[in-house]
Amino acid sequence: MKRIPNGGRIDRSKPVNFSFEGKSYQGFQGDTIASALLANDVKLIGRSWKYHRPRGVVGDGAEEPNALFQVEQGALTIPNVRGTQAPIYDAMVVNSTNAWPSVNFDVMSIFGAFSRFLPAGFYYKTFMWPAKFWMAYEHIIRQASGLGESPRESDPDHYEKTNAHCDVLVAGAGPSGLMAALSAGRAGARVIIADEQEELGGRLLSSSELIDSKPATKWLEETLEELASLKNVTLIPRGTVFGYHDANFLTIAERLTDHLALAQRSGPRERLWRVRAKQVVLATGAHERPIVFGNNDRPGVMLASAASTYTNRYGVLLGDSAVVFTNNDSAYQTALDLKASGMSAVTLVDARASNENLIEPLKAVGVEVINQCAVVNVIGKARVIAAEIQNLSDDGKSIFGAKQRIDCDIVATSGGWNPAIHLYSQSGGKALWNDDKACFENGISVQDQVSVGAANASFSLVDCLTEGAQAGRSAAIAAGFNTKNTRIPGVSCSAGTDLTPLWRTPTEDPPGRGAKAFVDQQNDVGVSDIYLAAREGFESIEHVKRYTALGFGTDQGKMGNISGMAILSEALGNSISDTGTTTFRPNYTPVTFGAIAGPEIGENLSDPVRKTAMHTWHQENGALFEDVGQWKRPWYFPKLNEDIHQAVDRECLAVRNSVGIMDASTLGKIEITGKDSGDFLNMIYTNAWKKLGINTARYGFMLGEDGMVMDDGVTIRLDENRYFMHTTTGGAASVMSWMELWLQTEWPELEVYLTSVTDHWATAAVAGPNSRKVVDSVIDGIDFDKDAFPFMASREGLLAGLPVRVNRISFSGELCYEVNIQANHGCFMWEQLIAAGAKYDITPYGTEAMHVLRAEKGYVIVGQDTDGSVTPIDLGMGWAISKTKDFLGKRSLERSDTARKDRKQFVGLLTDDPKVVLQEGSQIVNNASDQIPLPMLGHVTSSYYSACVGRSIALALVKNGHQRMGDTVYVTTPDKGFVSAKISTTVFLDPQGEKQNA
Amino acid sequence: MNKYSIFSLARNAMSHHEKWQRAWRSPSPKKRYDAIIVGGGGHGLATAYYMAKEHGMRNIAVLEKGWIGGGNTGRNTTIVRSNYLWDEAAQLYEKSMKLWEGLSQDLNYNVMFSQRGVYNLGHTLQDMRDIQRRVNANRLNGVDGEVVDAAELQKRIPHLNCSPDSRYPVLGASFQARGGTARHDAVAWGFARAADNLGVDIIQNCEVIGFRRENGEIQGVETSQGYIESPKVGVVTAGSSSVLANMAGLRLPLESHPLQAFVSEPIKPILDTVVMSNAVHGYISQSDKGDLVIGAGIDSYNGYGQRGSFTTIEHTMTAIMELFPIFSRVRMNRQWGGIVDTCPDACPIISKTDIKGLYFNCGWGTGGFKATPGSGWVFAHTVANDNPHELNAAFALDRFISGALIDEHGAAGVAH
Amino acid sequence: MLLIECPYCGVRDESEFTYSGEAHIVRPLEPSALSDKEWADYLFYRSNPKGLHREMWYHSAGCRRYFNAVRDTVTYKFKCVYKIGDSQPNLDELSSSAKHPADVEAK
């Protein structure tokens, strides 16, 4: 093991065993996959996406492009786990991605040899001949792409969501975030502070600085203790603030179990926080960026800050010798850290001229400093063996002199810092280029938000602490709290961040010749690719991104994007601010699908299931169910060995010949009261309502303002100013909102009140010649005589002492009584009716039989026989349209196209062969032998075998159908043929309505 | 123009790719063009290409306020299909499909049109009736399609959850084998390069800020790069159509809404077709790069912000988890939004206007990408001849007055 | 994620509301007197502005009242909400009083 004997955040008393690529390794509690592998001197950890070049760990956090692993196997496997942030646990199974058969011997590395033929966008220029081969080419390309593997089993874990409101949300728990939380928390504000790392502390976790004369980690410990003691402060470690939406709505993905050994896990795997914050403090820090040079992707080349982190936080001895290459002051600390870790030789190469103040401390510990030079190339393939350096011109634009080779195990590089302005950008803010600091920073806040510390391009520790404290206080005050200043702790020394921009080491040859130099390692985007894009006219940064794939990886370009923009500017001869940055989109880092879906999956799908009061009875009696809107409705009730046809035939015959019973509870029911109810209904329905008698029912059509049928149903006048409306099952909610809309916005002067009572009533439709006897035997207080209680009348009575309303309305064309009772007595009522009907063999029937029965009578089902393009006139129901009054949709019926006489119209269809049942959805033509495209007359909307009629029947919409009775047409069949049929009336049974009036 | 081929690629590799020419020029606007297309998205570039290629118009320009392909062209989920219900829509989209089938060769640019097939799932008996109706109509319109039952579907897409226990079980699907996906950016770039090669000026960073008209005829456009004269102006600015119409003193039957989409991290190939469900509201495919590409439903409110609400994303995610529970541990990498113009009948407007010489192509709602070549082809005809082609005659503005709507959502319930 | 102030209930999350389109589209008193073109204008044509928009919202999972709002369709920020029947706010005044910070030149 390559470890420093002591120090850091790892617990050396707690070894952790894990496997990588089938081989066992040991790390310590507190290690990430990346640190543990480095501690085991495993430098080659993956293969690149396009060229399959060997790759190593580059960063120490969210910016990592290479260290992506497949963790665990089977149902628990997770693809593309970022090893720089994932902790190890006992018996963890880790594999590399994108290498076969193994990371050390990868067959696909052959692509590397052909890399010169695979520049950015090469696929747009080839694979075009022969045209039909693209699918084969694509298959090969697909096999080669992608990173990790998706699980192939359902996820055994579950996920939860929580909604939270707070006064101050702090994103990031580094020094500035902690200070913000502390000062807002002390003021009494409700604070949520979340950080993506395993531990709160940010850069303090790997810092060798002193705060209040104590090690930074000691100050951190005390601060966390105080925050934990404040009841108004919620600390969320392992919680990534990944989305910043409108009105200060932010989302946090909290990982709850992934850090635990499999056996220790319980409860939800992740929790999605949906937070509304009054004030937001973004303390998200900054990402270091590398300087780009030849073969800068070799395992062992890493960011300077990452080298410090592995050394200080994880106690990893990164090797025996190192080259640190920088254009700024911050990497000087890295050189000190590496030397202090026990390396024998550390060389710092600074692109800038020498600065005695900086150099002095390094010299004192034996670090060699070389100025005005640059690393031009790295020697070694599977790991760094040496760095080559050359002199750099004063303007930084050329190199000269002889190459000097420095043997080393790692090359640590720093090209400066990019503030993590992702959340700021998501909030709607515009990033601005800061020439002095050579970085994009946040502009003006567009929501109640402030950025602090490194996220605000204030990189020094003292600035972080100060800005954090101020922001926390201001946020608390803005949220309505009084507070004093928070004392800013003293900081020993604060390393400077002075910088002279250097984005890439200049090369003697133009980009595209010589060693590959990578800008985006995950997507294998090199300097030459950016130059190629610029050469081909892709000048917008967005074009270059899309053409080269720069920044499209799982790291979202956190490491390479800004360098890529700078290099594009160089290629175009523009300034960086002219080139501009791209907009950052959520997510800050990738978030598990399961966490975003949350618990609302499967049976809990966000759409609730609605069941009637009789549902259990239906289940117990073998019903199969149909989804209608949100409702589960009995579809049919098969008896032993019956198929759907046999069951439906039996149910239909029972209704026609004796008595059947159907659960009609799901129909929408709305009570309409108030003195203007009649006037209101006159506008809502196409027909007239004011003269309807009390306790009498009427059928009505509701149209949209476009004149098309929207809903239909029977409405009963219960009293002078009280109506009871039925809607379709699926339309109930929208009809309610529709009527409210008109009442509240257009006719507020009408005194009308609407109450949805769908769930208040359970309804049983008792239909058939024997229905009168059944209802009469269980319901008291109603005279069921055919004249005393005629068709389309409504009566109140008692069933076992319970009030019921009985409506003599019919959707089957049979003598029928719909019995309504308070919903919680629904099942009792149902059982009473079943018992009373036993002697007539009362037969429960479902929606399928209902469909057949109504089709036999030519009754329309809105949504099946209509489709949003059908008027009542098209349906042959012009009689339901009032000529004298206005109503919603009336004007549209007079438009030139809508008033045409030859529109598609609702007709019956009888196949010439009565046994042939047409397929619903079949298309209808005049002449089957015409050439394709074949002009279509319309389609079959409903089709059944009718046991009662003794043949097949169908309903259809046919062009000019009302004028074509008796004509022969041809209807498509599933075997791509046609079958002949004749257009008929829609009524196939009892045209005089004798049965329902019986 | 460099011809692209495996040979030119090899030849250029030998010269370190230093000899590739620009894919398109970057000209300054001329004072006058014979026609101007406003909007450098796929539809606008395709329009210019076909005007040059099919109608011999060479003195034309495409004006783009930002960078070409930067609007919905680069923000959609790249699905291509033509299995629409109504004759007018099916024939328009089928024209487009036929153009797609030879597009890479025609443009000499690989747009990666991948005919991996598109499934539209049905979850209720009514969905299945609608699917039958649509597939039968497609058959008679010469559009390929078949109805697949749940058992067959399970065989073809093993990871799709066809369990009867789910909230809205999958009962079957329509399948169009010729449907699939294409590389959206490449479509814009391919059309741009080919149009440029025929002499079309593609002018980026050139925002139209006004129209000049006299006696009811268009004279030219005011732009951020100055006034440009032209007797014909075709506007193809999805998302901003009403804004442009307003500049010309016109109103349109449109509303602009955010439409969101998201992708997963890249994973190894696991889904080799396109699956769409209107009922539970989500659609999914896997890009050649390995990302799962997922489209959400439209956000309800008017919006020009290229972003929508998180609840819409959550809702779509529950739908995807319902259909593909195996993706639960995969992670969402990035989400974004576009702006779509929605029309009352979910069909586009490709039309002359009350101003002579001014034409609008808009209202594609969520379904514009698949129509790109066909839309350009018929709009080129409309602008060049001051008269619609028979394929787009039904998509004129007067349908909103006569009532002759082509109601695709009312009928088939399938958008996108 | 919008945050919407219902004039009857106060500030609530967007998920409680249903968007109901452009506000102040008055149903013609005598539809039969209108030409097809005038009727189409009422039925389908919308102003659809980029910027301030008078629109209607329905507190469907709350008090079930419709109300009006002025919202910026670019920033999505609400400028005001008002009850049905209240007079229409002046958009010019609203737009000059509170310009979106992103539109102001940056620091």
Side-chain angles (χ1 to χ4, degrees), chain A residues 80 116 124 128 138 145 148 155 157 161 246 535-536 543 546 586 591 593 607 867 920 934 976, chain B residues 17 23 68 105 110 114 116 129 139-140 168 183 268 288 307 314 328-332 335 410:
Chain A
N80 307 339
R116 84 183 313 183
Y124 302 130
M128 287 181 271
E138 186 187 42
S145 69
D155 192 345
D157 274 314
K161 292 191 187 183
D246 287 296
R535 185 177 303 131
E536 295 193 280
H543 279 158
R546 289 154 180 270
V591 178
F593 278 16
D607 221 7
D867 62 7
E920 288 172 348
L934 242 169
K976 311 236 165 193
Chain B
H17 300 288
I68 60 168
Q105 290 71 31
N110 189 353
S114 167
R116 56 182 72 175
R129 288 181 200 109
R139 171 190 151 199
L140 301 188
Y168 291 109
R183 172 86 182 107
K268 290 284 175 217
D288 287 348
R307 65 186 192 284
E314 288 174 297
S328 172
R329 297 171 88 82
V330 174
R331 283 182 297 254
M332 184 214 282
Q335 64 167 93

Side-chain angles (χ1 to χ4, degrees), chain B residues 332-382:
Chain B
M332 184 214 282
N333 199 16
R334 187 171 62 252
Q335 64 167 93
W336 66 90
I339 315 163
V340 297
D341 305 329
T342 57
C343 234
D345 58 356
C347 273
I349 296 164
I350 313 168
S351 184
K352 298 166 73 169
T353 66
D354 290 343
I355 298 169
K356 184 163 170 50
L358 180 64
Y359 312 87
F360 266 82
N361 181 349
C362 57
W364 291 92
T366 60
F369 178 71
K370 68 177 78 68
T372 305
S375 161
W377 197 87
V378 297
F379 198 46
H381 181 102
T382 307

Side-chain angles (χ1 to χ4, degrees), chain A residues 575-587:
Chain A
S575 70
I576 296 178
S577 58
D578 284 346
T579 301
T581 184
T582 55
T583 309
F584 295 101
R585 311 243 168 236
N587 303 337

